[in-house]
Amino acid sequence: MIEFDWSTFAGLLAHTAGFWYVMLPAIALGLVVGAIPGFSAANTIIILLPLTLALEVETALVFMVALYASARMGAGVPAILVNIPGTAGAAATPLDGYPMARAGRGQQALAISFVASIGGGLLTTIAALALMPWLARVAFYLHSVEMIVVMLFGISLIATVAARDTLKGLIAGLFGLMLGSIGTDHVYATPRGTFGFLELYDGVPLIPALVGLFAISEAFVIIEQRAIVTDDDRGLVASAGWAQTLEGASIAVSRWWHITWTSLIGLIVGIVPGAGAAIASFVAYQQSRFFSRTPELYGTGHVEGLVAPEAANNGVTSGTLIPLLVIGIPGGATAAIMLVVMQYHGVNFGPSLFEERPEIAYGIFIAMGVTYAVMALTILPLARYMTRVTLVPTLFLAPLILSFTLVGAFVPREYMFDMYLAVAFGILGYIARKTGYHVAAILIGVILGPLLEQYFIRALRMSQGDLSVLFSSTLGNVLWAFLLLTVAFPFVFSRWRARQRQPSAQS
Amino acid sequence: MNEQPAGESQRPMPSGSRSFGSELVIPGLALLFTVYYFVSIHEAPWTAKASTYFIGGILLALIVVFVALALKTLASGAASLSFAPLFAPPELALKRLGLLGLVGAYIYVLEFGGFTLSTFLFLYLAMLTLGGLRVARIGALVAGACALGGYVLFIAVFETRFPQGPFETLMNAVLP
């Protein structure tokens, strides 16, 4: 049984705060890489491996955790200001964040996003510390069949939440799943759907897909307007002072309960290996809208519509570390790289970590908590200056977005092919944006495609090819019911609403 | 088909008419790709087929439903087969094509010209394409500053292994 000692906690807190000189550069770097689509905390840690491997184990850990947490927060900045999420986890942020920026409330939106991220991150860090033994058990109940349904549920949720039309959203999501299935199969390495390109044998690389679908397509759309912010609201942004930042922070703090429960959604989803921040942010957005008294305001620049995905996105940060620490299974790519670095330093994750190296086991979460506290002081004042991006004429902004995001597509594998692939996805994303298909649905499908196939094959091999295995689990059947409800509800609700309007129109 | 609010930046459809021509592009691409995929796995073992037949089957069914609903709306006269939304607004169509051509040329030239020079040329030409000759001077300054900034950040700091061009070769010779 993992025990939590308060005196150890106080000592670790004081000790971790002493690493402020490591946190500050890591936070600055994390914000930058999180904000550039294509760069991520995972890529940056890989690039800086010579540094992290050379540092002392505690220093390396604090650096990686601070980078990870700040990159999550940084991803929301371009999502709000230019409708380009820095990572898939911020894909739900533009739904309400970007309309706020266009209306000249970008500074306020950034402040709300930062406070929601910090609040969500801090709360889930504390929750993770206190509830780790029980939270770790969640992953044990989810087997192949349940994971298949979780992923299909995630796709259908995004289709109903983000897409203008549920049917189109489902087509986009399933198209994404098919694109995600490109590559050799897991058992016999048979190439599938690769168009003869060797570079696609390992599957569609995620960064070029993200860069293309979100950034490149957006660059071709934003040239329709002079600047991000509308002409009527330019004055608001140009003359904005500290009041907007303080107002945004105050608005977010007043939504403390909203931040709390949506960040817990992120924590729980983050515990499930492979589920990912993208699903967490959309689940939180959908739940926030479902329980709202004003659901019709979502998508128009509604505060809760921004708070929910940002809090959940940062709740995932703690969640992905729980399976890593407790059972040695990383919850995501960044956690996997942290595992490699720690193993190099002789630290083995798993249940024994809490007895042999408790300062590492608990120190990770304490480092995360201190990072969020430091970010509250250092990042919030930057909102006022970041918003100026919305005033930059798009004739300058669009080429900059194109060139820097193409760099992001090149960085992971250093193949020129990936840049062409990003352009291809950019064209697909442009067509999707102009015709009412949501690019997030396509991207989530591309991300989940390989994972879904892995679990599908595993389930079928265990059942020796019997498809009824998909309905053999009680938890799985409950999740299937949720999935069907999610898909059917919009159709039923819209017909009911049309019938309600008919009698009043006739009268 | 139900409509829900979303935060997407999209221009409104032509009033009073839905343009199914453009809306059928994505399902058309999805259909073509799925058929190609099925052909590519035709003789593959079942482990290579199972998941994608499952997903592809559902996708094809949804496409059939979408096309059926589209045909029904077209027959009622409430929609057209126009592709106009894809190219809206018409005055920007040429600039968009020009920008797309520049992007392709940028990636191609990158292998010979190196990152810094190619990025400068791409940024400058793209700004001229979008803004015209009135932005020639400021465009050169912005393109130059950003190309240099990109060199410092991506090559000097992150050590990304971009193709080396004349500028990078010069910097390697000059810098310690």
Side-chain angles (χ1 to χ4, degrees):
Chain A
M1 177 75 173
I2 301 160
E3 289 189 12
F4 190 70
D5 185 86
W6 286 103
S7 63
T8 310
F9 168 75
L12 278 173
L13 184 63
H15 181 65
T16 307
F19 285 100
W20 62 269
Y21 61 94
V22 176
M23 282 183 199
L24 286 176
I27 287 169
L29 191 58
L31 266 188
V32 169
V33 300
I36 302 176
F39 282 81
S40 64
N43 286 348
T44 311
I45 294 173
I46 290 171
I47 290 166
L48 295 174
L49 265 178
L51 174 68
T52 49
L53 295 177
L55 291 171
E56 296 265 332
V57 61
E58 284 179 333
T59 314
L61 197 61
V62 168
F63 181 83
M64 288 190 296
V65 165
L67 185 68
Y68 186 31
S70 55
R72 277 252 186 264
M73 205 157 96
V77 173
I80 290 166
L81 296 180
V82 291
N83 198 23
I84 300 171
T87 62
T93 303
L95 295 175
D96 279 278
Y98 186 58
M100 289 178 82
R102 293 213 63 211
R105 293 161 58 207
Q107 186 176 338
Q108 193 187 77
L110 283 178
I112 291 170
S113 154
F114 291 157
V115 172
S117 300
I118 291 164
L122 265 173
L123 283 163
T124 51
T125 302
I126 295 167
L129 271 170
L131 303 171
M132 211 179 318
W134 298 278
L135 288 173
R137 286 188 199 139
V138 169
F140 285 122
Y141 292 107
L142 294 171
H143 307 116
S144 303
V145 171
E146 290 83 3
M147 288 305 297
I148 291 168
V149 194
V150 162
M151 288 180 188
L152 290 174
F153 177 66
I155 293 279
S156 60
L157 198 64
I158 292 163
T160 53
V161 166
R164 207 177 282 273
D165 182 316
T166 304
L167 183 55
K168 282 173 157 182
L170 288 170
I171 289 173
L174 287 165
F175 186 23
L177 282 175
M178 285 301 298
L179 290 171
S181 303
I182 289 175
T184 56
D185 80 279
H186 298 285
V187 181
Y188 296 102
T190 313
R192 304 166 304 169
T194 60
F195 298 98
F197 290 113
L198 203 63
E199 292 89 345
L200 290 177
Y201 273 40
D202 274 339
V204 171
L206 297 179
I207 302 300
L210 169 75
V211 160
L213 285 169
F214 280 95
I216 294 178
S217 63
E218 181 64 19
F220 281 96
V221 169
I222 60 169
I223 57 174
E224 292 173 15
Q225 52 227 47
R226 210 152 59 99
I228 303 289
V229 71
T230 57
D231 286 341
D232 294 339
D233 297 308
R234 283 181 76 83
L236 262 175
V237 177
S239 61
W242 294 109
Q244 271 212 14
T245 300
L246 293 171
E247 195 185 338
S250 164
I251 290 170
V253 168
S254 70
R255 265 65 171 188
W256 66 270
W257 175 237
H258 209 79
I259 292 172
T260 304
W261 67 266
T262 51
S263 65
L264 289 175
I265 289 175
L267 176 67
I268 291 166
V269 174
I271 290 166
V272 179
I279 290 182
S281 58
F282 275 101
V283 169
Y285 186 90
Q286 188 261 353
Q287 291 297 301
S288 171
R289 193 169 77 172
F290 185 76
F291 289 110
S292 171
R293 282 181 208 148
T294 52
E296 68 282 358
L297 292 179
Y298 281 70
T300 65
H302 194 47
V303 171
E304 275 95 4
L306 177 58
V307 162
E310 280 295 296
N313 188 21
N314 285 267
V316 166
T317 317
S318 303
T320 55
L321 294 177
I322 290 176
L324 173 68
L325 292 171
V326 179
I327 50 178
I329 296 173
T334 312
I337 295 158
M338 287 168 68
L339 172 74
V340 168
V341 174
M342 289 293 108
Q343 281 182 338
Y344 175 86
H345 285 285
V347 176
N348 289 312
F349 289 111
S352 60
L353 183 70
F354 290 86
E355 283 159 31
E356 290 167 17
R357 303 288 298 267
E359 74 279 9
I360 300 281
Y362 295 113
I364 286 179
F365 291 102
I366 290 168
M368 195 170 290
V370 174
T371 299
Y372 278 114
V374 170
M375 285 199 288
L377 298 169
T378 53
I379 305 305
L380 213 52
L382 295 179
R384 184 184 173 187
Y385 305 104
M386 289 177 181
T387 328
R388 296 289 192 256
V389 164
T390 57
L391 294 173
V392 175
T394 53
L395 71 98
F396 297 120
L397 203 57
L400 284 171
I401 289 171
L402 286 168
S403 79
F404 281 89
T405 54
L406 281 170
V407 166
F410 177 83
V411 164
R413 301 197 303 177
E414 298 183 352
Y415 290 168
M416 300 302 292
F417 176 85
D418 287 350
M419 297 173 89
Y420 288 112
L421 191 63
V423 174
F425 272 102
I427 295 169
L428 180 64
Y430 171 80
I431 296 171
R433 285 182 191 273
K434 294 298 261 181
T435 55
Y437 294 85
H438 205 283
V439 291
I442 301 175
L443 180 71
I444 302 310
V446 171
I447 292 171
L448 296 181
L451 288 169
L452 182 71
E453 181 178 31
Q454 198 178 313
Y455 288 119
F456 198 86
I457 298 300
R458 201 179 292 167
L460 285 184
R461 284 174 79 90
M462 285 194 295
S463 69
Q464 295 177 346
D466 183 5
L467 268 176
S468 64
V469 70
L470 296 176
F471 307 102
S472 58
S473 146
T474 310
L475 181 58
N477 291 339
V478 169
L479 291 171
W480 277 119
F482 272 125
L483 190 153
L484 287 168
L485 268 171
T486 308
V487 172
F489 181 75
F491 291 107
V492 171
F493 183 71
S494 65
R495 280 180 187 252
W496 174 81
R497 208 165 51 178
R499 255 188 245 127
Q500 291 290 307
R501 280 195 201 128
Q502 253 180 354
S504 50
Q506 281 168 1
S507 66
Chain B
M1 298 175 207
N2 65 308
E3 296 287 323
Q4 291 185 11
E8 276 296 300
S9 162
Q10 294 188 11
R11 295 188 69 90
M13 302 276 197
S15 58
S17 173
R18 194 166 161 177
S19 303
F20 268 116
S22 56
E23 290 187 35
L24 285 168
V25 172
I26 296 271
L29 288 173
L31 175 68
L32 286 171
F33 177 73
T34 305
V35 168
Y36 161 72
Y37 197 103
F38 284 176
V39 167
S40 76
I41 60 173
H42 178 64
E43 289 175 7
W46 75 267
T47 50
K49 296 187 206 186
S51 165
T52 44
Y53 275 163
F54 176 69
I55 297 164
I58 301 173
L59 176 60
L60 290 175
L62 288 175
I63 291 172
V64 166
V65 169
F66 185 81
V67 169
L69 287 167
L71 287 172
K72 185 182 164 193
T73 315
L74 282 166
S76 71
S80 70
L81 275 174
S82 166
F83 287 88
L86 279 178
F87 306 105
E91 59 270 18
L92 275 182
L94 217 55
K95 286 186 180 178
R96 275 203 179 108
L97 276 172
L99 197 58
L100 184 63
L102 280 171
V103 168
Y106 170 51
I107 301 171
Y108 181 74
V109 167
L110 200 64
E111 284 190 89
F112 316 104
F115 169 79
T116 316
L117 203 58
S118 307
T119 302
F120 168 75
L121 283 171
F122 166 72
L123 287 174
Y124 187 50
L125 290 173
M127 288 172 193
L128 285 180
T129 302
L130 295 174
L133 287 171
R134 65 185 173 90
V135 301
R137 202 176 294 175
I138 189 162
L141 280 169
V142 171
C146 292
L148 275 172
Y151 170 81
V152 169
L153 184 65
F154 299 123
I155 296 177
V157 174
F158 286 132
E159 292 184 351
T160 310
R161 287 182 298 186
F162 277 111
Q164 302 273 296
F167 182 82
E168 287 81 15
T169 310
L170 176 67
M171 295 309 285
N172 288 341
V174 164
L175 294 175

